[in-house]
Amino acid sequence: MSETSPRPRPDAAEHRRLAESAASSAPWRQWGPYVAGRQWGTVREDYSAGGDAWDSFPFDHAYARAYRWGEDGLGAVCDRFGFVNLGLALWNRRDPILKERLFGLANGEGNHGEDVKEHFWALDCTPTHSWMQWLYRYPQAEYPYAQLRAENAARGRDEREYELADTGVLAENRFFDVLTTYAKVSPDDLCMTVTATNHGPDPAPLEIIPQLWLRNTWSWGRDDRRSTITPFDGAGSERGFAAVALPHQHLGTVHLAAEGSPEVMFCDNETNQLKLFGTGMNATRYTKDGINDHVVHGVRDAVNARRGGTKVGFRYVFDAVAPGETVTLRLRLSAAPPDDQTFGAEFADTLATRRAEADEFYAGVIHPGLDAADTHVARRAYAGLLWGKQLYRYDVEQWLEGDPAEPPPPAARGQADGRNLHWQHLSLADVISMPDEWEYPWFAAWDTAFHTIPLAHVDPAFAKEQLVLMCREWAMHPNGQLPAYEWDFGDVNPPVHAWAAWHVYRIDGYRDSAFLIRIFTKLLLNFSWWVNRQDAAGLNLFEGGFLGMDNIGLFNRSAPLPPGFRLEQSDATSWMAFYAQQMFKIALELSRHDSAWDDTATKFLEHFLQIARAMSSFGSRNISLWHETDGFYYDVLVEPDGRAHPMRVRSMVGLLPLLGATEVPRWMEDECPGVGERLRWLQRRRPGLVGPLLTESTAEGAGGGQRRLLSMVDPARLRRILERMFDPEEFWSPYGVRSLSKAYTEPVSFEFHGQSTSIEYEPGESRTGMFGGNSNWRGPVWFPVNVLLADKLRTYGRHFGDSFTIEIPTGSGQQKTLTQAADLIDGGLTALFRPVDGRRPADGNRIEASDDPLWAEHPTFCEFFDGDTGEGLGATHQTGWTALVAHLLNPRLPPDPRTQGWA
C-alpha cells in the first residue's frame, strides 16, 4: 500500500452491519456482553457509613442479595439498558454454592490488592455482537475459596500471589472447559450454545444451568413497574424444548427456549434478608438464592412450584461426563414465540454463518502479513476489548439520597469529605468500555481514551461515542473536569482525550469533522478547568495530583501538602503542554475548512509556547524543573518561603516532557493564513517565546523546504533524556520503557516536613500499600505511556529524519534514528506476546506458560509488566489499554490520504 493511498473500506457482512448501526440505539447493538464480571464490591453498591465497598457488599453476599445498579454473571449478555440478563450457572456437585459469578479476593484479602482467582477468556467477538464466544475453565474438585483467602492473607507483599493453579485443583487437567457461544439471527433473535468438555482423566459430573433474570428495578421505591417470567404455553417435552415468556414494558415480549427437557426453576431477584442478616422480612418466599438452594442443598420449596418469577434457570444434569467427552446444550432468545423450527436448520446455519463472517471481518481488520501467532494475539485483544463493553449505571444524587423503600443512608455519606459528594450531576446508564471485567468494572477516564485507539480499527462509531460520553453534561463536571473513576470522580487523570480523539479521527480516515468539532468544543471546557484549577501560581507549571501513575512519587501526590507547600509536577506540566498541542492540532484541522477556528488555533499555539517556556527556562522562584547536572526533569517541592527542592528521582515523570512535540504542517500558511500570520508576528515581536519552534531544512523545492516542529524539549535536552531512556541500567528493558530507573535498586530517601520517605526500583508487584498496593509505577513497563512515547518519538523522527541518531542501547555504539527508536519501543511491547522457546514472556511463571496447549493457546492481557522479565502483573484480563497491542501489530497507518496531510 502506498503511503498516500487511502485505506480500503472493507465490505464484509459485519462491516455492512456496522455501517447501519452507528448509533448506540441501533437494533444490532441492542444485545451484547454488557453484563459486568463483578458488581459486588463496587462503590455504587456501597451504602455503608464507612465507605468500604469491599466489606459493604462482599462476594459471600452476591448469590443471595439483589444489586441496586447492575448485574454480574458468567459469559452473560443483556440488553443495553440491563433490564433482561442471560447467563450461566454451573455446579460440579462439590462446590458449596453454584458457580454464578467469578470469584476473586477483595482489596484487603490479598497481598497485592484485589485479584480475580479464576481462569476465563474472551475468545471472539464482533463489534455488533452478532458473534461472541467466552470460555470458562471450571475445576472438577471443590473450588478452594477458603484456601485462597487464607493463604493470600498469610503472604506478605514480597511474596507472589497464591493462585488457583497453586492449590492443585487443576492438576491432571481435572477441569471442564465451558464454552458459551452467541450468534444473532437478527437483532432480537439470539442463538446460544453451551459446550462443556471434560479434560480430566476420569468421568466427572456436571450440571449446567443457563439463567434468565430481570435486574431488580422495583424494590427501591422509585419504579413500581415489574415484569414476570412465566412458562410458555406451547413448550413441552413432546415438542423438544422448554420455554418461558417475559412481557416487558421496554423490550416487548422476550422468549427463551431451551432444547430438550431441562428442569425449569423459578425464583425472584430479591435479597434473602433472613439468611444474610438474620433480621427483617423477605419480600418474597423465593429469593435470589432459591435456585442455588434447590440445586446445591436439595431444598425443594426454594423455587416456585407455581412456576413464575423474576429469575429462571434451566437445569441440565450430566451424571458422568467421560474423559474427552463434550456435552452440548442449545437455547434461543427471541421476540418470536418458539416453535418446532426453533432449533432447526436455521439455528446451526446461523452459527456457521456468523463464525465465517467474523473470520471475514477480521481478515479485513488484521493485516494479512502477520504470522499466525501475531494474528491470534490481535484477534484475542479485540475479543477482550469488545467483551469489556459493560453497562454502567450510577446516579450519584440518588445514591447519596438513598432510596425511598430503604433505610436512610448514614449521615457520614453527606459530610464534606463524603465520597463523590461534589459529583451529584453524574448520572450514567451507558455501555462503556471498561479496563477489564473484574478488577476494574467501571470506567476510568484515561483508560477509556486509550481503549478507543484499537476500538477505532473495528468500531470507529463506538470509539467516538466513548470519547464524547466522558464529556457529556451528565458525566463532565459543570466546572469542566472529567470524571476520573468511581472511587473518586474528583481525582485527576492525565488529559489524553484530545490525543485519542485525533488518532480516532485519523484511523477513521480523516472524514468525520462533525465528531472533531463535537469533542473539541467540550474539551475546551476541560482545558479551562486544568488552567484554572491546577496552575495554582499562574506560572504555567501544573500540580496535577494523582495523574494515573499511582505510587510513582516519593509520597501520595493526591494527598494534601502542608499549608503553603506546593509540588510543581514535571508530568502535570508535560501533560498540559501535550494537551495544548493536541488542541492546536485539532483546531488547525478545523480551520482548514472554516477560518472561524483560526483564533482558537492561535490560542492553543501560544498557550503551548507559554508552558514550554516555563518548563524549559525557569519555574517558580526561578527554579527550573530541568536539572542541568543530571540531564533530567524532576518534580519540584516549593516551601512557603520559596525554597525549592527537586525530587531527584528519575522516573517516568521526567520522560513525559517528550510528549510535548507536534508538527506544524507545511500547508498551514496556505490553508490557514490567519494562523500563519500570527506565528510570523510572534517570531518578529516575541522571538524568545517561539524558541520551542524548531526548523529543519530539507532538499525539497519551494514551499516545502522546511519542516517545523513545536517541541517542549530542545535537541540537546532531548539527546540527554534519550541517553537515559535507552540505557538498560536505567529505563530501557527488552519489553519497553520502565516506569522508574533501574539505578535505584537500593532505596533513595528524602526528608520532608520531619518525615523520611523512600523509593526503590521494584520491577514487579508493588511492595507498598499506596493506592491499595494493586498496581506499581516503580519499575514495571506500562503499555499506555510506552505507546505515547513511541508516538512522539515518531513525531521527532519525521522532523529530524536521518540527521538525529542516538545509541540504542546506550553505550552500544549502535546508532538509530528516532523513528527506529519508536519502532523498538513498539517492538518491545509486542515482544511480550511473541513466544520465545514456545512461551510468551508475558505469561511469566503462571500456568499459562505451561507446554500444555490447553493453556498455551490463551494469552493474557495484563495491567502492567515486570520491568526485567516482562511477566504480566496486576489485573490479568486488562484487554482495555493492553489491547493497544492489536494497534501496534498492524503496520503503520498511511498518512492523511488528502493532497497534503500530516500524522
Side-chain angles (χ1 to χ4, degrees):
M1 182 186 300
S2 72
E3 287 214 336
T4 57
S5 62
R7 204 175 187 200
R9 293 277 171 194
D11 192 35
E14 179 67 9
H15 282 105
R16 292 194 297 272
R17 277 191 288 269
L18 281 171
E20 300 166 1
S21 307
S24 61
S25 58
W28 279 99
R29 297 183 187 270
Q30 174 81 305
W31 294 90
Y34 309 142
V35 182
R38 174 173 64 84
Q39 186 73 10
W40 62 273
T42 59
V43 167
R44 54 198 183 275
E45 298 294 342
D46 175 18
Y47 283 76
S48 68
D52 188 329
W54 294 102
D55 288 344
S56 172
F57 201 136
F59 173 81
D60 294 335
H61 281 196
Y63 82 107
R65 183 171 163 187
Y67 294 123
R68 172 64 179 87
W69 294 99
E71 294 293 333
D72 58 21
L74 294 178
V77 298
C78 69
D79 65 274
R80 70 185 186 93
F81 298 105
F83 291 126
V84 177
N85 303 264
L86 173 62
L88 201 59
L90 304 166
W91 191 45
N92 56 15
R93 295 191 180 168
R94 290 186 170 89
D95 284 355
I97 56 173
L98 285 182
K99 178 62 67 173
E100 294 178 288
R101 58 189 48 80
L102 298 166
F103 169 74
L105 299 182
N107 199 312
E109 292 179 327
N111 53 336
H112 292 293
E114 63 265 27
D115 186 26
V116 70
K117 297 299 181 186
E118 304 271 22
H119 292 286
F120 59 96
W121 300 276
L123 301 188
D124 211 1
C125 197
T126 55
T128 65
H129 309 300
S130 58
W131 169 258
M132 300 172 274
Q133 286 193 306
W134 191 86
L135 180 66
Y136 174 68
R137 187 152 283 174
Y138 187 38
Q140 294 169 2
E142 179 178 340
Y143 194 91
Y145 295 105
Q147 185 181 355
L148 286 166
R149 281 172 165 155
E151 180 60 31
N152 278 293
R155 294 191 177 193
R157 293 194 183 276
D158 290 333
E159 299 174 90
R160 292 180 66 90
E161 280 283 303
Y162 186 64
E163 305 292 357
L164 182 62
D166 299 328
T167 68
V169 300
L170 302 173
E172 301 180 279
N173 290 342
R174 292 182 182 274
F175 51 74
F176 287 99
D177 269 353
V178 184
L179 173 64
T180 304
T181 301
Y182 300 96
K184 293 180 182 178
V185 180
S186 63
D188 59 359
D189 191 347
L190 186 63
C191 299
M192 175 185 183
T193 67
V194 183
T195 63
T197 302
N198 179 2
H199 288 296
D202 301 312
L206 179 66
E207 299 197 16
I208 305 175
I209 308 168
Q211 296 185 141
L212 182 77
W213 71 100
L214 286 157
R215 179 170 57 87
N216 189 328
T217 59
W218 55 85
S219 291
W220 322 107
R222 294 183 182 273
D223 186 348
D224 294 334
R225 291 176 297 176
R226 176 173 175 171
S227 302
T228 300
I229 308 169
T230 58
F232 176 68
D233 290 339
S237 57
E238 70 284 355
R239 300 196 67 183
F241 62 84
V244 295
L246 168 58
H248 193 270
Q249 296 92 338
H250 178 76
L251 300 173
T253 299
V254 176
H255 301 88
L256 179 63
E259 190 177 31
S261 302
E263 180 185 1
V264 183
M265 305 164 291
F266 291 90
C267 63
D268 288 304
N269 188 10
E270 299 274 10
T271 300
N272 191 330
Q273 300 277 354
L274 294 173
K275 177 185 285 188
L276 294 180
F277 308 112
T279 59
M281 216 173 163
N282 289 338
T284 176
R285 178 177 175 182
Y286 308 104
T287 50
K288 180 179 176 179
D289 54 335
I291 295 174
N292 175 87
D293 288 356
H294 177 73
V295 172
V296 176
H297 303 296
V299 182
R300 296 179 61 85
D301 61 355
V303 293
N304 191 348
R306 292 180 293 176
R307 302 170 64 80
T310 52
K311 178 180 177 181
V312 62
F314 296 86
R315 184 183 188 184
Y316 291 85
V317 177
F318 303 96
D319 292 321
V321 181
E325 182 184 2
T326 297
V327 297
T328 302
L329 51 97
R330 304 195 299 175
L331 299 95
R332 190 162 175 175
L333 183 76
S334 179
D339 57 27
D340 294 339
Q341 299 304 310
T342 293
F343 297 104
E346 183 184 48
F347 190 100
D349 289 347
T350 297
L351 266 75
T353 299
R354 297 294 180 254
R355 181 192 292 271
E357 289 173 352
D359 292 341
E360 179 190 28
F361 172 75
Y362 282 109
V365 170
I366 300 171
H367 196 278
L370 296 185
D371 63 22
D374 282 353
T375 299
H376 180 63
V377 167
R379 188 150 174 181
R380 285 293 187 89
Y382 287 129
L385 190 66
L386 293 171
W387 271 93
K389 292 164 60 175
Q390 297 180 9
L391 177 65
Y392 187 84
R393 303 186 71 98
Y394 189 21
D395 185 306
V396 175
E397 183 178 47
Q398 289 187 11
W399 179 77
L400 288 168
E401 288 177 352
D403 293 313
E406 296 291 301
R413 290 162 57 87
Q415 292 178 355
D417 59 348
R419 175 174 284 151
N420 295 328
L421 183 65
H422 302 294
W423 287 80
Q424 296 188 46
H425 72 284
L426 190 141
S427 180
L428 290 166
D430 299 273
V431 173
I432 297 178
S433 179
M434 305 288 183
D436 72 85
E437 65 177 300
W438 198 91
E439 268 91 345
Y440 306 108
W442 53 78
F443 73 87
W446 82 307
D447 293 62
T448 302
F450 288 110
H451 302 177
T452 63
I453 305 303
L455 277 170
H457 290 275
V458 293
D459 192 353
F462 182 73
K464 288 179 275 191
E465 179 191 77
Q466 291 295 285
L467 291 168
V468 171
L469 176 62
M470 292 296 105
C471 299
R472 290 306 302 266
E473 53 273 23
W474 52 83
M476 176 187 276
H477 197 280
N479 65 19
Q481 184 180 6
L482 295 183
Y485 50 96
E486 72 170 28
W487 288 88
D488 184 358
F489 289 128
D491 217 330
V492 184
N493 278 176
V496 293
H497 280 65
W499 174 84
W502 175 258
H503 279 277
V504 169
Y505 172 73
R506 177 172 170 245
I507 293 168
D508 193 39
Y510 299 84
R511 60 196 179 96
D512 192 352
S513 58
F515 157 70
L516 215 52
I517 293 170
R518 191 178 185 196
I519 190 70
F520 182 75
T521 52
K522 288 300 185 72
L523 289 176
L524 287 172
L525 302 175
N526 179 243
F527 190 90
S528 296
W529 173 82
W530 272 87
V531 171
N532 293 330
R533 296 294 299 274
Q534 301 303 116
D535 180 18
L539 297 166
N540 289 305
L541 294 169
F542 293 82
E543 311 169 41
F546 167 52
L547 285 176
M549 294 189 284
D550 294 0
N551 60 355
I552 200 167
L554 282 157
F555 46 82
N556 185 343
R557 299 191 301 169
S558 279
L561 292 170
F565 282 78
R566 186 169 68 254
L567 183 68
E568 294 176 349
Q569 291 181 221
S570 172
D571 55 332
T573 305
S574 302
W575 285 122
M576 281 304 292
F578 168 71
Y579 196 176
Q581 283 188 341
Q582 296 304 130
M583 295 292 276
F584 166 67
K585 179 181 284 190
I586 294 172
L588 204 58
E589 175 74 4
L590 296 175
S591 68
R592 299 181 78 171
H593 311 290
D594 185 348
S595 61
W597 294 102
D598 283 7
D599 293 348
T600 312
T602 59
K603 176 264 184 295
F604 283 106
L605 169 63
E606 294 189 41
H607 206 124
F608 164 75
L609 293 172
Q610 295 284 359
I611 296 172
R613 181 168 65 175
M615 183 88 171
S616 300
S617 56
F618 61 89
S620 174
R621 307 293 180 109
N622 294 319
I623 300 298
S624 176
L625 301 185
W626 171 257
H627 196 284
E628 183 61 32
T629 302
D630 293 357
F632 208 72
Y633 286 100
Y634 297 123
D635 291 349
V636 174
L637 183 67
V638 183
E639 295 194 42
D641 61 6
R643 286 179 297 167
H645 308 278
M647 306 284 98
R648 292 178 65 183
V649 174
R650 292 188 296 281
S651 73
M652 183 65 72
V653 304
L655 301 179
L656 291 183
L658 298 178
L659 301 186
T662 198
E663 294 142 293
V664 178
R666 301 176 190 180
W667 48 256
M668 186 183 78
E669 303 291 344
D670 294 330
E671 299 194 37
C672 308
V675 185
E677 174 57 32
R678 179 62 178 173
L679 180 56
R680 288 190 295 274
W681 186 93
L682 291 171
Q683 289 174 311
R684 292 193 308 269
R685 303 294 184 90
R686 302 282 191 272
L689 186 63
V690 295
L693 180 64
L694 308 181
T695 302
E696 197 73 10
S697 297
T698 71
E700 300 174 26
Q706 287 188 335
R707 290 191 294 262
R708 293 178 295 180
L709 180 75
L710 291 170
S711 176
M712 191 160 63
V713 179
D714 65 36
R717 290 182 180 181
L718 173 64
R719 185 174 296 282
R720 295 188 71 186
I721 294 171
L722 294 180
E723 285 174 358
R724 291 198 184 276
M725 192 169 95
F726 286 105
D727 185 344
E729 297 305 313
E730 292 223 31
F731 290 99
W732 186 233
S733 86
Y735 308 106
V737 180
R738 302 177 176 112
S739 49
L740 183 73
S741 172
K742 193 177 180 180
Y744 305 117
T745 52
E746 295 296 326
V748 57
S749 298
F750 179 77
E751 295 292 329
F752 169 64
H753 210 58
Q755 297 184 350
S756 177
T757 62
S758 66
I759 194 170
E760 79 179 286
Y761 174 69
E762 302 174 45
E765 296 276 13
S766 175
R767 297 200 297 269
T768 75
M770 192 180 291
F771 286 90
N774 57 344
S775 67
N776 183 25
W777 285 81
R778 296 184 171 186
V781 171
W782 288 78
F783 239 83
V785 286
N786 270 261
V787 168
L788 286 171
L789 288 170
D791 181 54
K792 289 305 174 179
L793 282 181
R794 200 163 277 109
T795 299
Y796 284 113
R798 284 191 296 269
H799 177 73
F800 289 113
D802 297 338
S803 67
F804 192 117
T805 62
I806 55 172
E807 281 186 312
I808 303 180
T810 300
S812 68
Q814 301 174 29
Q815 295 293 318
K816 303 289 184 184
T817 68
L818 297 183
T819 299
Q820 290 170 331
D823 290 341
L824 286 172
I825 294 176
D826 287 351
L829 297 175
T830 55
L832 290 162
F833 296 92
R834 287 176 166 152
V836 178
D837 297 327
R839 298 188 179 189
R840 291 176 291 265
D843 292 338
N845 295 318
R846 298 195 309 272
I847 195 172
E848 288 86 355
S850 166
D851 293 333
D852 188 336
L854 289 174
W855 293 101
E857 69 174 323
H858 299 301
T860 53
F861 297 84
C862 292
E863 183 183 2
F864 54 97
F865 299 86
D866 189 286
D868 293 334
T869 69
E871 180 177 8
L873 302 166
T876 51
H877 291 82
Q878 194 146 356
T879 17
W881 61 30
T882 307
L884 282 161
V885 68
H887 171 70
L888 301 181
L889 284 169
N890 267 334
R892 293 292 102 200
L893 289 173
D896 182 350
R898 298 166 297 186
T899 305
Q900 294 173 306
W902 59 342

